[in-house]
Amino acid sequence: MKLTIVLFANLLCLPTMAQRDFRLTEQRNAWLTSSNAAALTTFGDSTIAHAALSYRHDGGRLHTISEGTRQNTYSADVRSYSRLSADIVAYGSATYSRSNITDAAGSMLLPTISLMPFDLVEDTNDNAGDKSMETFCINGAIGWKAWRRLAIGARLDYTAGTYAKQRDLRHSNTLMDMNASLDAMLSLPHNSGIGVGMVYSRRTESMQFKTYGTTDQIYYTLIDYANHHGERETFGTEGFTDSKNRLPLLSEYIGVTAQAKYDRIFADITYRHRNGYYGRKSQYSASHEQHHGDCLALHLRYDIAQRAERLVWFDLHMTTESLTSLRENYRRTTATNGTSAIYYEYFEPTKMADKVQTYGTAALNAYWKPSGQIYLWHITGGTHYQSRRQTAYVYPDTYTASCHIVTPFVSARRSLLTRGGKLLSAEAGCSTAMGSYRHVAANAAITYEMPVKGTHLRPAISLKYDFRQATNGDMKGLTRNTLTLTASATF
């Protein structure tokens, strides 16, 4: 019901538009790919909007313990750019997703690409069960051209989520992730400009652990600081898996961002400093961990060709992140003044892990053979890169491990436009991972789009199939199949 309400409410707010490619509209303007809200004023059209409903099924023997043997995911996505006046442009999106995971165990934290200070991993045999994960995101931004060349803007992204397991040891997680920014942009002659901004982020994942089954079984959890090393904890009323309290894992980021464009070259750089902790920071409650780190993200863009008959550009995205985790040392004490109050004395924390990861993508995009505002050919190719180095300090030993993965990829799409305005597209691609982990993957998709008579609405339906096979280690020969069905509409 929530999914239907979200989609319907957003559709009511979106005026109709002629046929266009929403994704291409974003990508061809490098300013729109940045986080600078003031750069929304570079949007050249009146309004464009896109809505999609999708269903995805994952199955096969190639999976991690956390991914489970099977996954079914339902999602809805609505987003739009709207020119409210000659000087004001707004962007908004709403996304809802729900995943049902079968026979999953492993990590108890919500999956994320960012470094985490530690992981909570089930360390009890034969303990897999069904899990459910749900997220709801609302993003909004507005840009205002305050002066002939100066624009200011603000952005707020908010995500709420839940993650739960329906078998002992049960965990129930709630997520709150908020990102806010204030930005400014100065347009310069010769198709140039500079932008600056301040960013603030706050991510809180609160967790509670319970058992509803037989109480004679003992449940263990590995506090994995890095490389599957850390501390083994027995489930009870204290510690990381406290059954009495809901414990938050909090991370706060504060940073700056800057953009610059000159002719065909665009650069976007963001620096953020991170601080956080796990538990409740109080003299009368236990805080178990604290962490700090830094994150630097870079985006470089070079437009090779920006003509009506052909679009070609090169993108380089790179993010490097470091994180240090420290375990809190404390002593639980009962007051002797007759109140029986319990308080905690904290001592110097102990370093448990140092982590550094770098990941990014270098890709070339080419569009040609236009038909109206649609390009009938699109080819993209490049490589993904990911590396991670982690050190766990478990007194008196030190455990260091590193991994790196390079994944070249290529994909091509061909579209056919009929006399009635119907658009049929076929897409195929492949990739190969090399390095610490090796696999081959292939995908194919077919999309059918047609106009609705008397309106500017163009609904489309897409069917996509992905195949992945491991080629090294104990998982060699195992496969993973993904089938995605998407119904969308562009305004």
Side-chain angles (χ1 to χ4, degrees):
M1 185 64 182
K2 183 188 295 185
L3 184 148
T4 305
I5 293 174
V6 169
L7 181 62
F8 181 69
N10 280 274
L11 289 178
L12 290 178
C13 303
L14 302 178
T16 59
M17 293 296 298
Q19 177 192 12
R20 283 175 291 175
D21 188 328
F22 185 89
R23 182 183 176 189
L24 177 60
T25 300
E26 284 186 312
Q27 289 185 334
R28 67 189 301 176
N29 184 349
W31 283 107
L32 295 182
T33 63
S34 72
S35 60
N36 192 315
L40 287 172
T41 55
T42 64
F43 180 65
D45 297 323
S46 56
T47 298
I48 185 171
H50 183 79
L53 292 169
S54 66
Y55 164 75
R56 170 173 170 164
H57 174 78
D58 285 273
R61 298 180 62 190
L62 179 61
H63 60 84
T64 64
I65 297 176
S66 301
E67 291 174 334
T69 58
R70 186 171 66 252
Q71 286 192 31
N72 291 292
T73 303
Y74 310 86
S75 61
D77 185 4
V78 181
R79 57 189 65 200
S80 70
Y81 290 89
S82 299
R83 180 167 290 279
L84 305 181
S85 69
D87 298 324
I88 300 176
V89 178
Y91 168 79
S93 70
T95 304
Y96 172 80
S97 177
R98 178 179 177 85
S99 297
N100 298 320
I101 310 169
T102 303
D103 294 333
S107 176
M108 302 180 185
L109 301 179
L110 278 156
T112 176
I113 193 172
S114 299
L115 284 177
M116 298 298 287
F118 61 88
D119 197 4
L120 299 178
V121 181
E122 296 186 66
D123 200 21
T124 305
N125 294 329
D126 301 326
N127 205 35
D130 294 343
K131 291 187 177 185
S132 61
M133 182 167 56
E134 187 176 26
T135 58
F136 178 61
C137 310
I138 297 179
N139 304 330
I142 189 168
W144 173 44
K145 185 178 288 186
W147 184 56
R148 185 166 58 93
R149 293 187 180 275
L150 178 66
I152 58 176
R155 179 183 297 271
L156 179 64
D157 301 339
Y158 181 85
T159 300
T162 61
Y163 185 42
K165 184 187 177 191
Q166 288 85 41
R167 181 177 179 179
D168 297 343
L169 176 66
R170 301 168 189 257
H171 63 85
S172 175
N173 304 15
T174 57
L175 173 69
M176 190 283 295
D177 193 352
M178 182 185 68
N179 300 273
S181 68
L182 292 174
D183 308 289
M185 176 190 168
L186 182 64
S187 299
L188 300 175
H190 308 296
N191 193 27
S192 303
I194 56 175
V196 294
M198 296 184 62
V199 295
Y200 173 79
S201 302
R202 182 183 179 93
R203 188 183 194 274
T204 304
E205 184 175 353
S206 300
M207 291 169 281
Q208 188 160 26
F209 304 88
K210 291 184 178 180
T211 56
Y212 291 154
T214 56
T215 58
D216 58 346
Q217 183 175 350
I218 299 176
Y219 296 96
Y220 297 98
T221 300
L222 173 64
I223 315 303
D224 180 10
Y225 287 100
N227 310 326
H228 306 292
H229 288 89
E231 302 166 343
R232 194 168 187 251
E233 180 179 272
T234 304
F235 172 68
T237 58
E238 294 182 347
F240 282 71
T241 54
D242 188 347
S243 62
K244 287 186 176 181
N245 303 298
R246 180 174 287 275
L247 301 178
L249 174 58
L250 179 141
S251 291
E252 282 187 310
Y253 303 80
I254 187 167
V256 294
T257 179
Q259 301 83 28
K261 186 177 189 302
Y262 176 73
D263 195 17
R264 298 182 179 183
I265 302 175
F266 176 81
D268 183 4
I269 186 169
T270 301
Y271 167 77
R272 298 187 302 168
H273 179 70
R274 175 181 183 181
N275 280 298
Y277 58 87
Y278 178 65
R280 298 188 179 276
K281 276 190 172 296
S282 169
Q283 186 180 0
Y284 303 101
S285 59
S287 177
H288 303 291
E289 183 271 349
Q290 61 175 282
H291 53 271
H292 59 85
D294 299 281
C295 180
L296 183 67
L298 173 67
H299 173 208
L300 294 177
R301 168 82 169 265
Y302 179 70
D303 291 322
I304 301 173
Q306 282 278 6
R307 294 190 290 270
E309 68 276 8
R310 184 168 66 255
L311 301 174
V312 184
W313 67 78
F314 175 79
D315 278 304
L316 175 65
H317 293 269
M318 189 64 66
T319 300
T320 181
E321 186 178 6
S322 63
L323 186 64
T324 298
S325 303
L326 301 98
R327 183 190 60 204
E328 294 279 22
N329 296 313
Y330 57 83
R331 179 173 62 190
R332 181 178 176 181
T333 305
T334 303
T336 59
N337 56 4
T339 61
S340 299
I342 297 176
Y343 64 95
Y344 294 83
E345 294 181 80
Y346 288 90
F347 306 98
E348 187 72 20
T350 302
K351 181 189 285 190
M352 299 302 296
D354 282 318
K355 304 178 182 181
V356 177
Q357 76 168 2
T358 300
Y359 57 90
T361 302
L364 182 72
N365 278 275
Y367 291 84
W368 72 93
K369 198 174 183 180
S371 178
Q373 300 186 49
I374 297 295
Y375 286 83
L376 302 183
W377 272 102
H378 174 217
I379 291 183
T380 180
T383 182
H384 301 294
Y385 175 77
Q386 181 177 4
S387 69
R388 179 178 292 186
R389 181 178 176 85
Q390 301 184 142
T391 301
Y393 306 100
V394 182
Y395 183 82
D397 299 314
T398 300
Y399 303 91
T400 301
S402 61
C403 68
H404 67 279
I405 301 173
V406 178
T407 309
F409 66 91
V410 64
S411 179
R413 186 188 67 195
R414 177 67 167 102
S415 301
L416 296 174
L417 189 63
T418 66
R419 292 183 179 179
K422 300 179 179 64
L423 189 70
L424 181 64
S425 303
E427 181 180 350
C430 64
S431 64
T432 302
M434 301 174 291
S436 303
Y437 171 71
R438 298 194 298 272
H439 76 256
V440 295
N443 65 81
I446 295 178
T447 303
Y448 178 73
E449 179 182 347
M450 68 176 189
V452 176
K453 292 184 178 180
T455 72
H456 296 290
L457 180 68
R458 296 189 66 91
I461 185 167
S462 174
L463 183 64
K464 184 176 182 181
Y465 173 73
D466 293 87
F467 170 82
R468 182 159 56 98
Q469 183 177 60
T471 58
N472 72 321
D474 297 335
M475 296 186 295
K476 183 176 182 180
L478 300 185
T479 61
R480 187 75 166 176
N481 302 286
T482 302
L483 186 65
T484 305
L485 177 63
T486 303
S488 61
T490 305
F491 303 82

